[in-house]
Amino acid sequence: MEEAPKKSFKNFSISFKYFVLAFWKTLLAWVIIVSFVVVAIHLNVDKSIIGGAVVIFGIISQAFIGLLNIIGLIPIIGPIVAKVLALPFFWLLNAMGYFVSILAIKKGYTSEVVNYRILTVVFLIGIVIGFILGKLI
């Protein structure tokens, strides 16, 4: 009987140099975003302006998609997390949470909104963990 050739994981590893060469645009976009946020907070710029600018720049530069691709590189769990974060249901739940928060803040339920958002974030993290465990088991 012939023995199967030994597989080398050397072909599956990536060096830091190749990682930077492959994702330099994403890394540059995130350096710009983080620098902008730090400088804007230091200069006391309104937080809604900071958030809007980050969202617009992130969408135009495709920084969020690049970050999702980098997360997908993590062995075993990375592709599953990337798949969960790309689910339309996940996005829909998060968007509904923000719209309900806006309405509740306008009605004067500020402290309840904080508790509600914490509960929503915990629920969404639970969905991610449940999805990962469901795929692994």
Side-chain angles (χ1 to χ4, degrees):
M1 286 182 87
E2 292 182 32
E3 287 187 34
K6 293 182 181 179
K7 292 185 179 181
S8 171
F9 287 106
K10 184 177 181 182
N11 296 338
F12 296 110
S13 65
I14 184 169
S15 69
F16 184 73
K17 175 185 173 185
Y18 293 125
F19 176 79
V20 171
L21 287 174
F23 292 102
W24 72 271
K25 291 179 185 177
T26 301
L27 295 173
L28 179 65
W30 279 103
V31 166
I32 291 170
I33 288 173
V34 169
S35 302
F36 169 74
V37 169
V38 169
V39 169
I41 288 174
H42 181 71
L43 296 175
N44 295 326
V45 177
D46 187 26
K47 291 178 182 172
S48 61
I49 294 173
I50 297 172
V54 167
V55 167
I56 290 170
F57 181 76
I59 290 172
I60 291 172
S61 68
Q62 297 181 357
F64 303 122
I65 303 289
L67 184 62
L68 201 59
N69 287 334
I70 292 172
I71 290 171
L73 288 175
I74 300 170
I76 300 172
I77 294 178
I80 299 170
V81 171
K83 189 185 295 185
V84 170
L85 293 177
L87 286 175
F89 176 72
F90 189 84
W91 286 89
L92 184 65
L93 280 178
N94 204 17
M96 282 187 344
Y98 281 111
F99 287 127
V100 171
S101 296
I102 291 169
L103 294 175
I105 289 172
K106 286 186 178 184
K107 296 274 185 177
Y109 297 108
T110 308
S111 61
E112 288 86 357
V113 168
V114 172
N115 293 335
Y116 166 74
R117 288 307 296 162
I118 290 172
L119 184 66
T120 304
V121 168
V122 168
F123 178 66
L124 292 174
I125 291 172
I127 289 174
V128 171
I129 292 172
F131 193 86
I132 290 169
L133 289 176
K135 286 288 187 177
L136 291 178
I137 293 178

